[in-house]
C-alpha cells in the first residue's frame, strides 16, 4: 500500500472516531475539569518542559557512546474557542552526536471528544548529516479513561551516502542511505488507571523501520497551575532499534487540573523524540559480488 493510501486510511478512521461523541463507559467518572460544558481547544496559553536520559541501540549501558540525553519543550495556545496551535522543540545528544528539531501543530479540538489537525516537523542528525522533513495529519480520540493519539503522513530525508564497509571472499559489503520519501506514522493507545497516571502502548514507523513504543507517566507534585511528573519510555523494533530512557516533565498551565485533563485540555504530544532514530533507521546495509580478473601464468 502506498503512503498516500495509508494516509487516507488513517484520516478516515480519525474522522469516523472524532465524529462520534462519547462520554465514556458507564463506570467512568470524569474529573471535574472534564464535566460537560463548553471547552476551548486549548485552555489558555500553556507550556511543557522535559528532561530525559537513557540508552539506545545498546548492549548494556556500559557502551557510553550509545547514551541519549536531552530536553524538549512545547508551547500551546488557543485560536478562538475551537482551534489552537502548538510549537515543539528538541535538543539532545544521541550516541555522542547532536540532534535538534522543531515541529508545529494546527488543530481543532473538543476536549470531550478528540482532535483533528495538521502537523509539520524538521529535524537534523549531525552524525549522519541528515535533515528530515515531515508533514501529515494528527488526530486524537477520547473515551473515558482511554485515549488514542496519532500522526501519519509523508517524510523525506536530505541525507544521501554510499560507504564501502570492506571486502570478503567474492563480495563487497557496503551501507547507504537513499534520498527518498516514504510514509510514516506514530500512534499511542493510552489508559489512565487514575486521573494522574498514564500507561501507553503504541507503534512507530520512522525511517522505514517499525518499532513498538511503551511508556508510563505519573504525577509527582501538583503545584496548582503547574505540575511535575515522572516518566519512562522504551522502543523495541527492527534492525536492533531499541531504547529506554526516563525523566521528568514540568507542565505550566493556567488552572489546577489532573494529568488526564492537562493532556486533553492543554498540550498535545511532542513526537520529536523518535527523530533520534529516524536517520539511522533509514540506513541500509548490503553486499554485491565482486569478481577480480586472474592473471594467467605463461
Amino acid at each position: 500500500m502506498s503512503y498516500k493510501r495509508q494516509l487516507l486510511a488513517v484520516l478516515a478512521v480519525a474522522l469516523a472516531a472524532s465524529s462520534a461523541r462519547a462520554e465514556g463507559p458507564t463506570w467512568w467518572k470524569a474529573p471535574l475539569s472534564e464535566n460537560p460544558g463548553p471547552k476551548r481547544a486549548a485552555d489558555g496559553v500553556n507550556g511543557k518542559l522535559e528532561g530525559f536520559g537513557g540508552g539506545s541501540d545498546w548492549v548494556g549501558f556500559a557502551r557510553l557512546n550509545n547514551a541519549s540525553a536531552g530536553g524538549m519543550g512545547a508551547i500551546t495556545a488557543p485560536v478562538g474557542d475551537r482551534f489552537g496551535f502548538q510549537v515543539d522543540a528538541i535538543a539532545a545528544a544521541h550516541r555522542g552526536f547532536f540532534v535538534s528539531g522543531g515541529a508545529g501543530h494546527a488543530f481543532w479540538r473538543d476536549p470531550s471528544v478528540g482532535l483533528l489537525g495538521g502537523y509539520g516537523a524538521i529535524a537534523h542528525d549531525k552524525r549522519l548529516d541528515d535533515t528530515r522533513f515531515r508533514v501529515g495529519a494528527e488526530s486524537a480520540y477520547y473515551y473515558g479513561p482511554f485515549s488514542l493519539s496519532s500522526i501519519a503522513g509523508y517524510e523525506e530525508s536530505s541525507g544521501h551516502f554510499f560507504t564501502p564497509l570492506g571486502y570478503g571472499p567474492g563480495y563487497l559489503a557496503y551501507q547507504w542511505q537513499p534520498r527518498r520519501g516514504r510514509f510514516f506514522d506514530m500512534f499511542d493507545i493510552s489508559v489512565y488507571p487514575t486521573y494522574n497516571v498514564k500507561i501507553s502502548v503504541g507503534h512507530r514507523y520512522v525511517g522505514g523501520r517499525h518499532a513498538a513504543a511503551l511508556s508510563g507517566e505519573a504525577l509527582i507534585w501538583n503545584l496548582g497551575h503547574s505540575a511535575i511528573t515522572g516518566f519512562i519510555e522504551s522502543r523495541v523494533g527492527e534492525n536492533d532499534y531499541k531504547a529506554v530512557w526516563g525523566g521528568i516533565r514540568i507542565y505550566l498551565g493556567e488552572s489546577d487540573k489532573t494529568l488526564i485533563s492537562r493532556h486533553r485540555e492543554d498540550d498535545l504530544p511532542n513526537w520529536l523524540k523518535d527523530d533520534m532514530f529516524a536517520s539511522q533507521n533509514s540506513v541500509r546495509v548490503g553486499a554485491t559480488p565482486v569478481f577480480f580478473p586472474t592473471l594467467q601464468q605463461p
Side-chain angles (χ1 to χ4, degrees), residues 71-72 88-92 94 97-104 119-135 151 154-159 177 184 186 206-207 270-280 282:
M72 302 203 303
D88 303 333
I90 184 174
H94 176 60
F97 290 85
F98 186 61
V99 177
S100 60
Y119 178 82
I122 180 173
H124 181 72
D125 185 328
K126 185 173 178 60
R127 184 170 69 92
L128 295 175
D129 192 24
D130 178 36
T131 301
R132 187 166 300 271
F133 306 88
R134 287 201 182 98
V135 61
I151 58 171
Y154 175 81
E155 71 174 9
E156 185 167 321
S157 167
S158 68
Q177 183 183 40
F184 83 94
M186 309 182 199
V206 295
N270 186 336
W271 304 96
L272 288 173
K273 196 178 286 130
D274 285 281
D275 280 291
M276 293 191 300
F277 301 97
S279 296
Q280 180 62 40
S282 63

Side-chain angles (χ1 to χ4, degrees), residues 45-199:
V45 178
N46 56 82
K48 177 172 62 178
L49 299 173
E50 173 180 324
F52 64 89
S56 56
D57 293 328
W58 43 266
V59 182
F61 285 99
R63 293 178 61 181
L64 298 179
N65 64 315
N66 287 339
S68 299
M72 302 203 303
I75 298 176
T76 313
V79 179
D81 291 332
R82 280 285 153 251
F83 298 92
F85 71 90
Q86 178 171 306
V87 178
D88 303 333
I90 184 174
H94 176 60
R95 304 183 70 182
F97 290 85
F98 186 61
V99 177
S100 60
H105 315 244
F107 59 92
W108 167 94
R109 176 164 62 181
D110 182 337
S112 64
V113 178
L115 72 85
L116 287 173
Y119 178 82
I122 180 173
H124 181 72
D125 185 328
K126 185 173 178 60
R127 184 170 69 92
L128 295 175
D129 192 24
D130 178 36
T131 301
R132 187 166 300 271
F133 306 88
R134 287 201 182 98
V135 61
E138 183 167 19
S139 66
Y141 180 60
Y142 313 134
Y143 182 76
F146 303 99
S147 294
L148 170 64
S149 301
S150 67
I151 58 171
Y154 175 81
E155 71 174 9
E156 185 167 321
S157 167
S158 68
H160 179 68
F161 66 83
F162 179 93
T163 304
L165 297 178
Y167 293 96
Y171 69 89
L172 168 65
Y174 55 88
Q175 66 177 4
W176 85 101
Q177 183 183 40
R179 180 180 296 159
R180 56 162 295 186
R182 57 166 58 87
F183 175 82
F184 83 94
D185 73 66
M186 309 182 199
F187 72 81
D188 287 320
I189 300 173
S190 306
V191 61
Y192 295 81
T194 74
Y195 300 150
N196 292 312
V197 175
K198 176 184 177 182
I199 299 172

